[in-house]
Every structure is written in C-alpha cells, then in structure tokens.
Amino acid sequence: MKRARDYGIIIGEMPTGARNLITDVCGVKVGHATLAQGRHNTGVTVLMLCEDNPFASKLTAACHVLNGFGKTAGLMQVEELGTIETPIALTNTLNVGLVHDAMVGYMIDRCRQEGIELRSVNPLVCECNDASLNDICLRAVQKEHVLSAIADAKPDFLLGAVGAGRGMTCHGLKGGIGSASRLIELDGKTYTLGVLALTNHGRLRDLTIQGQNTGKRIQQQMAESLPDKGSCIVVMATDLPLSDRQIRRVIRRAGVGLARLGSYTGHGSGEVFLGFTTANRIPHACTQALLPLTVLHEERIDLAFRAMAEATEEAVLDSMLTAETVVSSSGTVRRSLAELI
C-alpha cells in the first residue's frame, strides 16, 4: 500500500506520528467491513474512540457542516452538548438508518454487559453516496457488517477502497478512506492530532498536488468529466486538551486541506467535519457538580490549525493513492490515482 510519502510527496512541514494515521492518538482504533461482489461496492468503517466505554465517560467533541448536502445522524446532540458517547460509523447514504440501528444495539448490549444503565444514546453515523459504483438501493450493509467492523478495529488499518470507502469517487478518480497525523510540541510535551477522511468529492481538472494542477493533465487521458458533486467526511482525533469550542475551531480547518487539493465544495456535496479529544472526559454519572477542565491557551492554537490542514490534505490524497481501480457491475470505472500519477 503505497502512500503519498512513498511517491516523494510531502504535505506540509509538521512531523507525523509513528503510523501517520488517526490511530497515532492513543486508544483510537479503526475497523472495516467491505462488500465487493456482484452489484455491491460498499461497506462500513467504524472508529473506536477509546479503550473504555465512551457512553460511561464521554469525549469532548464538536462538529461543523461546511456544506450540508448530507444525511449524517447524531450531529444535533454533539452540537448542543459538546460530547460524543459512541463509536463513529461511516457508510453509504441509504444505509445510515440500518447502521444507526446496529450501533444502538451494540451500545445497549455493551452497557448491559458492563452494568451501565442506558435509556438514550446518540450514535454518530456519517455517509457519502457511492451509487456510481454500488447498487445503493440494495442497502447491503447490515448489523453483522457493523459488528464485524467493530471486531476488526485496530491501530494498523487499511486505507483506500475498503469499508465505507469501497464505492467512493474523489476528484473523478477512485476515492475512499485516507488518514494522516501530525505531532504538536507544547510545554515540553508531545501531542498528536490525527485525521480520517471518507472522500467522495471534487472535480478531476481541479486536482492540485503540491501546487501543480495534476488533474488537468490527467483529464486529457480520461473520457468523462464529472462535476464536483459528492461528499467528504473528515474525523479528527487528538489527545490535546481542548474545549468543544476549540475543537470546532480546529476542525473547520479541514476545509483548508480540501481546498489545497482543488475542491471548491460544490452544491451537491456534503462536507461534514467531526472532532474529539481523548482528554477532558465527561462522566455520564453525576457524582460531583463541578468538573476540572484543562484547555489550550488560545494564543497557541495555530499549531492545531496547521496540523488539521496538513493532515486533512494528506489524508485525502492517500485515500486516492491507496485505492485500487474499481469497476461496477454496470461497467462504470473509477481509476486509481496511483495508475495515473
């Protein structure tokens, strides 16, 4: 699996984590279930945010919608309360409801096993539309696939045309799952910020790599020109102590990374950004009225802004470079950037 750096493409100036993945943030794991047979080119990807139960000890979080042509479930409570209490699932547009139901069942079972009372829960399920390569109306992703993705979750996970990324298109080529991380030095300590992107957006002729309009050159080899119509989900994880307001400020810089690669965020695209920190956990049970909170001084937040922009740009690029060419059952082809670059 060759990534951008294997091609000599270095995005930005900040150092990466050991894996250059979102899982460089301690406790974060990612798993996939991929359906790639017959009329199916789809799947589900699940991000496990911590080792313990996120419902019992919620993670400080925020969300931001850059363009709202999307069907994500669960954003309203994140916006209001500033916390996430379940793993995050990614899938295709018409499978949001089925995956949401599976995540509810998973959380009920897990809390019951751990002796935690659960009367309400807010699963986060994000989507992009993979109908160009997948028979989306079949709604192929079922509960067993969600549970399989959860069981598959690990620090070293696959990128490209896997899981939720199997049927995605990015800048007219094959999109999918990408990830990257950056290290931030503050007060003698090293913090990590990681990004995972599900990419399904952009026009080929706009694709820009290291300031060069690579897409326009590639366009001359392609028979069709697709509009900037799709979606992009960007999830940020960090161990940097941030408030939910600060997280919202940081994740908005995902738009910088998308723009550097040439996306202008078209009308038909749903750009949804989520972020959480593994610091500043909020207990579900109220045992004390006041909780301690450590936050980054706002004058030092530029480091997180830069990390978010760089990691998003690299994650999107890696989603394309690691994805193999996929052909739908009807003959639609999405070629890999790795074949053309």
Side-chain angles (χ1 to χ4, degrees):
M1 183 175 67
K2 292 182 68 175
R3 301 171 66 183
R5 290 172 185 255
D6 298 314
Y7 291 94
I9 302 170
I10 308 300
I11 303 298
E13 61 185 38
M14 298 181 75
T16 73
R19 300 180 184 88
N20 196 18
L21 296 172
I22 193 172
T23 49
D24 288 326
V25 178
C26 185
V28 178
K29 298 178 182 177
V30 175
H32 306 293
T34 305
L35 289 78
Q37 187 175 15
R39 294 158 69 185
H40 302 317
N41 276 303
T42 192
V44 60
T45 295
V46 176
L47 291 88
M48 307 298 286
L49 315 186
C50 51
E51 295 286 356
D52 56 328
N53 190 327
F55 184 82
S57 183
K58 304 178 195 305
L59 293 95
T60 301
C63 57
H64 176 70
V65 178
L66 183 62
N67 195 65
F69 206 131
K71 286 77 181 171
T72 293
L75 292 186
M76 182 169 66
Q77 183 169 309
V78 176
E79 180 72 23
E80 182 69 22
L81 302 185
T83 58
I84 293 177
E85 59 187 19
T86 73
I88 298 170
L90 311 177
T91 190
N92 75 50
T93 304
L94 298 189
N95 257 114
V96 169
L98 292 170
V99 172
H100 185 279
D101 185 68
M103 291 297 296
V104 169
Y106 166 78
M107 291 303 299
I108 289 173
D109 291 343
R110 181 171 181 178
C111 287
R112 183 180 292 129
Q113 291 168 9
E114 297 178 15
I116 300 168
E117 184 180 19
L118 184 153
R119 294 185 176 182
S120 174
V121 69
N122 184 53
L124 274 164
V125 185
C126 304
E127 56 79 30
C128 293
N129 195 308
D130 58 16
S132 62
L133 291 174
N134 172 54
D135 193 337
I136 196 170
C137 290
L138 294 177
R139 305 177 73 197
V141 180
Q142 300 294 314
K143 181 177 181 178
E144 61 265 28
H145 302 120
V146 177
L147 296 179
S148 177
I150 291 171
D152 180 62
K154 50 188 176 291
D156 290 304
F157 61 95
L158 293 175
L159 302 178
V162 293
R166 176 64 191 178
M168 300 303 169
T169 299
C170 189
H171 283 282
L173 304 174
K174 188 67 194 73
I177 298 289
S179 190
S181 68
R182 294 294 185 269
L183 302 180
I184 300 171
E185 300 287 340
L186 290 166
D187 295 339
K189 293 184 64 176
T190 301
Y191 298 93
T192 305
L193 184 150
V195 160
L196 182 140
L198 174 63
T199 65
N200 194 51
H201 66 283
R203 290 196 315 169
L204 178 56
R205 65 182 297 176
D206 295 329
L207 177 62
T208 303
I209 301 175
Q210 292 185 308
Q212 302 296 314
N213 188 190
T214 307
K216 193 171 183 179
R217 174 174 55 81
I218 295 174
Q219 180 75 68
Q220 297 171 2
Q221 307 174 47
M222 307 293 287
E224 62 177 329
S225 179
L226 303 175
D228 187 344
K229 184 178 181 179
S231 290
C232 185
I233 306 299
V234 180
V235 181
M236 181 212 74
T238 188
D239 54 9
L240 186 64
L242 299 171
S243 68
D244 61 303
R245 180 186 62 80
Q246 290 176 325
I247 292 171
R248 187 174 298 106
R249 292 193 71 200
V250 172
I251 61 176
R252 284 203 293 257
R253 271 60 186 185
V256 176
L258 300 184
R260 284 177 176 171
L261 285 168
S263 174
Y264 61 83
T265 310
H267 159 70
S269 197
E271 274 69 23
V272 176
F273 309 148
L274 289 168
F276 64 91
T277 176
T278 57
N280 294 328
R281 304 287 293 274
I282 309 296
H284 177 70
C286 180
T287 58
Q288 58 187 87
L290 301 178
L291 299 173
L293 178 68
T294 301
V295 297
L296 177 68
H297 194 295
E298 215 84 343
E299 291 297 320
R300 305 294 292 276
I301 202 168
D302 276 357
L303 290 171
F305 288 169
R306 177 177 288 275
M308 187 70 196
E310 288 188 10
T312 300
E313 182 180 2
E314 186 163 355
V316 173
L317 188 56
D318 271 354
S319 77
M320 301 174 70
L321 287 169
T322 58
E324 73 269 22
T325 293
V326 171
V327 182
S328 75
S329 60
S330 62
T332 300
V333 180
R334 293 290 180 264
R335 294 184 64 184
S336 171
L337 176 61
E339 297 177 358
L340 302 164
I341 196 169

